[in-house]
Amino acid sequence: MAKPLTTVLSTKGQVILPKALRDRRNWTPGVCLQVEETEDGLLLKRAPLFESTNLDDVFAVLKRPGVGVSLEEMDEALLAEAARRAGD
């Protein structure tokens, strides 16, 4: 079994994580970590890149007035725009 890694708490409350652990987790400077208190101590986890959302909130952003557009109409518009840009 590997020897436990240790670190020291600074006067500013900072902790340096051992390089081997940072490398293994791919935690580079600036990575945002969540700290959770557990029965056994503290748990560090990479914070999610985005806040969790409610699916209804996401769909609400997509609402637009008028009649919806079919997939065929979307494909035609994309092809027309691609052709326009290729002609520039």
Side-chain angles (χ1 to χ4, degrees), residues 4-16:
L5 300 172
T6 61
T7 190
V8 176
L9 185 67
S10 77
T11 57
K12 293 183 178 182
Q14 298 168 325
V15 174
I16 296 175

Side-chain angles (χ1 to χ4, degrees), residues 7-60:
T7 190
V8 176
L9 185 67
S10 77
T11 57
K12 293 183 178 182
Q14 298 168 325
V15 174
I16 296 175
L17 300 175
K19 184 171 180 358
L21 294 177
R22 295 190 319 261
D23 289 348
R24 202 168 21 224
R25 295 283 176 176
N26 195 26
W27 287 353
T28 55
V31 69
C32 189
L33 301 173
Q34 285 182 335
V35 182
E36 292 181 22
E37 191 167 11
T38 69
E39 190 174 298
D40 294 325
L42 299 176
L43 172 64
L44 293 176
K45 298 191 303 189
R46 182 184 292 265
L49 294 176
F50 304 100
E51 291 182 29
S52 56
T53 58
N54 181 329
L55 196 55
D56 290 332
D57 294 339
V58 175
F59 283 134

Side-chain angles (χ1 to χ4, degrees), residues 67-78:
V67 178
V69 180
S70 71
L71 290 176
E72 291 78 17
E73 290 170 313
M74 284 188 244
D75 286 342
E76 288 174 15
L78 287 170

